[in-house]
Amino acid sequence: MSGFLPRVKAVLGPTNTGKTHLAMERLLSHASGIIGFPLRLLARENYDRMVKAKGIRSVALITGEEKIVPPGARWFSCTVEAMPLDRKVEFLAVDEIQLCADPDRGHVFTDRLLNARGLVETMFLGADTIAPLMRRLVPGVEIETRPRLSQLAFAGPAKLSRLPPRSAIVAFSAADVYAIAEAVRRRRGGCAVVMGRLSPRTRNAQVALYQDKEVDFLVATDAIGMGLNMDVNHVAFADLRKFDGHQPRLLTAPEIAQIAGRAGRGMRDGSFGTTADCPPLDEEMAKKVESHEFEPLEQIFWRNNELNFASVPALLESLTAAPSRQGLVRGNEAADVQTLDALSRDADLMRRTQGRAATRLLWEACQIPDFRKLATDTHVKLVAKVFTHLLAKENLPETWVASEIENLDRLEGDIDTLMQRLTDVRVWAYITARADWMADAETWAMRARAVEDRLSDTLHIKLMARFVDKRAAHLTRRLDEAETEELQAVVAADGLVTVEGHEVGRIEGFQFHPDPATQGPEKKILLRAARRALGFEMPRRILAAETAADDAITLSDDRHFIWENVKIARLKKTDIFLKPGVEVLHSEFLDGLARERIRARLAAWLATETEKRLGALLKAMEDPPAPLRGIVHRLSESGGVLPPEPFTPELRQEAKKFGIDMGRFAMYLPAALKPGAARLRALFWGVWYDRNPPELPTPGLVCAPMPANWGHDFALAMGWVQVNDIMIRLDVVERVTRELHYLMRKHQILLPPNLGSRMGLKPEQLAPTLNVLGFRLFPAGVQGDKYFGPPAPAMLGRRKQEHTTHARQPAAPARKPEHAREPEPVAVDADNPFAALAALKMARR
């Protein structure tokens, strides 16, 4: 068969066109084949169909969590991510190929579109919006467009109580699904629930409730939009917005059509509309869905598959490479790349990840899916632990794996708890399914699946009891019960408050913020339940705050106390600058005793922090010597820095013994200028003047531009001396000027070579700065061509000036009697052979 080219065909069209049925027929007509589905549920459902047709020994199932691969398997049902592309088969198909345009998973589908091929035939199934891009990216592709087998009509809005039987109600969060299911149970006798987080076993049991007509309504997330075929006559949208993993957004017309298309299967017509609090569906949008006419895709998402395993940085660089073909763009950063990036910042782990083999192993560990999506570092830590074990030995320790799985084998808890355990056990099902990671992968995978099955059965029973059992008390009755333990209310670690499956808001610190999307009478009921739930949570939080370690509490730049990343109190002005008070933020959940317990803990923390940062100043306030009492008192009122005042040498010596520096530009305690002390003093300044303090320079800087929002007084109070448009650290200015005045006690001096660098100055800033600080710079002379010897060097002398309170503008020099005046410097001609003698004469002055 020389010259034979494998056939690449795309079967495109709306839902209910028989695309998947055609692909399954073509798959089973070949001697071998692989088909990839977007969901594990679909892969499992079609695996069962294939087993009935070909027998269990000839059919394989490969998903992230499940691997059933008999030795003689020839037909494979897989999730798209798990397709074994290294296996040569006659037929290969990918379902829902329009998911190439999904910013999160699209790069996987795009990779299959560009690279996955069967030896004889390849088939892509999906919406016809991808047809133009497919013609451009897949040369020679045959495109067949199929019409919908039945009509789909827009029926408009309807109340929950008026929806026709055999309706599917679609929501986009677990909280909304629970709320609608409760409402349907109260009004219509019960419903089945389908969500993406359910296991195939629980989902199949719920669908059976609906298919067997034990209930006439199905409440689901958009998980039903991907090929789940049920006897649905009407689809009602409870919302037109969804959270896509990054932000809430409106549904697009193709997304609405994908979900609405579940109504009317085969030759039976269907309808779609809105219900509950869903906003009206735009008429133009409804027409597009009815006619299946949508804008074609202009781009799909791509990720480089030619990875460089030379090192972790090289791998990350190759993963973020830009596409070179028109129509391909990079999507969102996938979870595996985010995990790899997080691990790349672990220096200890990176030291052990040397060479291609270790880098490849780390990347394989990063493929562990994050089903939990907890927005914490829990998943990253798990991946790191798996990698560390595999790097040290060939297999994972069985004792560790056993303890993790056994910890999940618990059937108590509410619906959310069970679903969370199911997602956890799915992670371990993926890990244990890796034959190269486990010594006995098949046995461990069976143990993980057994736990999943038990959790699934328990979850189904609880879903039945809650949403189908007509005798179950609804939410309002349970709120009136005396025993609060019966209330299904949970406060998650991230502050999310869930009551009876409803996300009613968040608690931050001791403040409760209700969900603004909840309105009407339902909001009052849910808030009552939330308050009851917080009746148990608040004492725990108060005790946690009261016993919190010092490093768990901080002060924000806006003068608030921060605990667990949340503001719980603010600094309050008192009569003493260095001892502000603590005011706990108002909360309806804190009584007087609780507020005082929290205030006392924060006050103790503040006292410790003040002693740590400003201990020298506090100690000076205790018992100063009589000559210094006034100065110490004013230093305490100003935070440790005062403008300069005239003083006697004896007073200065006494102050020095007491830790106070009485300089030319300020009187201050050097310890108060340290970065930590300066920030605390700035916050106290903000409390005293009731404003947020300006941002301080980066610790370690000696010189910085003068900020526009700083005044001279604030700069000096924070330990900085303003010099024209810059400012220099006070202690540095005092030390430098003191040294220079000592060196110039008799005459001018040669300019010290490192003077500018000591003050952090640029060369052009040196002369103006020295001038303001009371010195005069005589620049070096220029040697003429006809003379020999060195030119006159740069010299530094005093500027005669009165004592000033700050360095912004020099005072006019005091006028001496005529006989005591120093002669004015005389300009020296550099070409004069006596120029060097003139310089020496100036130096002797």
Side-chain angles (χ1 to χ4, degrees), residues 822-838:
E822 294 184 4
E824 292 293 326
V826 179
V828 179
D829 184 359
D831 292 333
N832 193 300
F834 297 100
L837 292 176

Side-chain angles (χ1 to χ4, degrees), residues 743-783:
L743 293 174
M744 284 185 274
R745 62 190 183 277
K746 294 183 179 180
H747 50 70
Q748 297 173 356
I749 62 172
L750 296 174
L751 178 68
N754 63 343
L755 186 59
S757 61
R758 289 182 63 188
M759 293 188 287
L761 299 174
K762 298 177 182 178
E764 63 272 15
Q765 295 174 325
L766 180 59
T769 299
L770 289 172
N771 185 58
V772 173
L773 297 181
F775 302 99
R776 181 172 181 179
L777 177 62
F778 297 94
V782 180
Q783 180 69 48

Side-chain angles (χ1 to χ4, degrees), residues 713-741:
D713 294 338
F714 179 76
L716 187 64
M718 292 301 106
W720 295 83
V721 176
Q722 181 182 355
V723 180
N724 299 321
D725 58 350
I726 62 172
M727 56 184 185
I728 308 173
R729 228 170 60 197
L730 172 61
D731 56 335
V732 174
V733 169
E734 292 286 2
R735 185 163 56 250
V736 169
T737 56
R738 192 169 295 153
E739 293 175 5
L740 292 178
H741 279 290

Side-chain angles (χ1 to χ4, degrees), residues 252-308:
T252 63
E255 287 174 331
I256 293 175
Q258 184 76 27
I259 298 167
R262 297 302 107 193
R265 308 305 294 173
M267 302 303 295
R268 188 179 65 253
D269 292 341
S271 60
F272 68 98
T274 58
T275 190
D277 296 325
C278 182
L281 184 63
D282 180 74
E283 183 178 348
E284 182 179 352
M285 179 83 75
K287 289 181 179 179
K288 288 182 179 180
V289 175
E290 287 179 325
S291 61
H292 316 294
E293 295 178 357
F294 310 109
E295 295 293 327
L297 297 176
E298 297 181 355
Q299 60 186 26
I300 56 178
F301 295 100
W302 172 92
R303 187 171 81 181
N304 183 26
N305 63 356
E306 297 178 359
L307 304 182
N308 183 355

Side-chain angles (χ1 to χ4, degrees), residues 507-512 538 541-542 545 563 566-568 584-590 598:
I507 182 170
E508 295 181 350
F510 307 104
Q511 308 287 326
F512 176 69
M538 280 305 171
R541 286 185 173 240
I542 293 169
W563 173 66
V566 175
K567 299 176 182 179
I568 60 172
V584 179
L585 299 181
H586 173 74
S587 169
E588 63 176 297
F589 300 101
L590 297 179
I598 296 169

Side-chain angles (χ1 to χ4, degrees), residues 573-579 617-618 621 629-643 669 681 684-685 688-689 717-718:
K573 183 177 180 179
T574 65
D575 294 336
I576 303 176
F577 180 91
L578 292 176
K579 295 182 179 180
L617 183 54
L618 295 176
M621 293 168 56
R629 285 175 184 169
I631 294 174
V632 170
H633 177 71
R634 286 184 290 124
L635 280 173
S636 67
E637 289 183 333
S638 65
V641 181
L642 283 173
L669 274 81
R681 292 190 302 109
F684 289 176
W685 181 91
W688 193 258
Y689 292 103
M718 292 301 106

Side-chain angles (χ1 to χ4, degrees), residues 16-342:
N16 193 29
T17 56
K19 299 186 295 293
T20 306
H21 179 75
L22 171 65
M24 291 296 293
E25 284 187 339
R26 296 298 303 154
L27 170 73
L28 299 178
S29 68
H30 283 278
S32 60
I34 298 172
I35 185 168
F37 295 97
L39 299 176
R40 178 192 179 196
L41 300 174
L42 292 177
R44 182 79 202 202
E45 180 182 280
N46 285 283
Y47 166 77
D48 294 336
R49 291 172 58 190
M50 292 160 63
V51 167
K52 289 180 181 179
K54 294 294 185 179
I56 196 167
R57 295 184 178 181
S58 300
V59 179
L61 171 67
I62 303 180
T63 67
E65 306 96 293
E66 259 185 303
K67 288 183 175 61
I68 304 174
V69 186
R74 292 190 290 159
W75 295 276
F76 292 75
S77 179
C78 316
T79 51
V80 174
E81 286 86 348
M83 293 173 70
L85 300 181
D86 56 342
R87 186 180 290 267
K88 303 301 181 183
V89 292
E90 289 189 1
F91 178 85
L92 185 143
V94 178
D95 193 19
E96 306 294 356
I97 194 63
Q98 77 277 359
L99 287 179
C100 289
D102 181 85
D104 294 309
R105 298 176 64 201
H107 67 275
V108 179
F109 286 79
T110 300
D111 178 73
R112 305 301 183 258
L113 176 67
L114 300 178
N115 303 312
R117 298 292 183 266
L119 297 174
V120 177
E121 183 178 2
T122 301
M123 183 175 288
F124 298 110
L125 317 171
D128 55 8
T129 52
I130 199 172
L133 269 178
M134 190 175 287
R135 289 189 180 95
R136 185 194 310 165
L137 297 173
V138 185
V141 63
E142 301 176 26
I143 295 182
E144 176 187 337
T145 302
R146 290 191 161 204
R148 183 178 167 89
L149 298 176
S150 61
Q151 296 297 313
L152 186 63
F154 178 55
K159 295 181 178 180
L160 284 174
S161 58
R162 298 300 181 93
L163 289 175
R166 315 310 292 167
S167 289
I169 305 162
V170 181
F172 297 95
S173 71
D176 289 342
V177 167
Y178 295 154
I180 293 169
E182 287 278 8
V184 172
R185 186 190 66 177
R186 292 196 299 268
R187 295 178 174 90
R188 311 299 291 269
C191 63
V193 173
V194 172
M195 293 188 289
R197 293 172 61 193
L198 298 182
S199 67
R201 190 181 182 96
T202 307
R203 168 259 183 189
N204 290 339
Q206 287 290 303
V207 169
L209 281 177
Y210 179 83
Q211 291 293 85
D212 295 342
K213 297 188 177 180
E214 294 184 43
V215 293
D216 273 333
F217 297 91
L218 175 73
V219 181
T221 62
D222 54 348
I224 69 167
M226 290 294 173
L228 298 182
N229 298 320
M230 290 166 288
D231 298 329
V232 176
N233 295 335
H234 179 77
V235 171
F237 289 87
D239 200 351
L240 296 176
R241 297 179 65 86
K242 66 178 288 188
F243 182 74
D244 62 5
H246 301 276
Q247 61 183 1
R249 62 170 177 80
L250 289 171
L251 297 174
T252 63
E255 287 174 331
I256 293 175
Q258 184 76 27
I259 298 167
R262 297 302 107 193
R265 308 305 294 173
M267 302 303 295
R268 188 179 65 253
D269 292 341
S271 60
F272 68 98
T274 58
T275 190
D277 296 325
C278 182
L281 184 63
D282 180 74
E283 183 178 348
E284 182 179 352
M285 179 83 75
K287 289 181 179 179
K288 288 182 179 180
V289 175
E290 287 179 325
S291 61
H292 316 294
E293 295 178 357
F294 310 109
E295 295 293 327
L297 297 176
E298 297 181 355
Q299 60 186 26
I300 56 178
F301 295 100
W302 172 92
R303 187 171 81 181
N304 183 26
N305 63 356
E306 297 178 359
L307 304 182
N308 183 355
F309 293 102
S311 65
V312 173
L315 176 57
L316 282 168
E317 184 178 0
S318 63
L319 283 165
T320 55
S324 59
R325 300 178 64 180
Q326 188 178 1
L328 303 179
V329 295
R330 287 185 56 209
N332 294 331
E333 195 170 77
D336 51 6
V337 178
Q338 292 177 355
T339 303
L340 180 65
D341 182 60

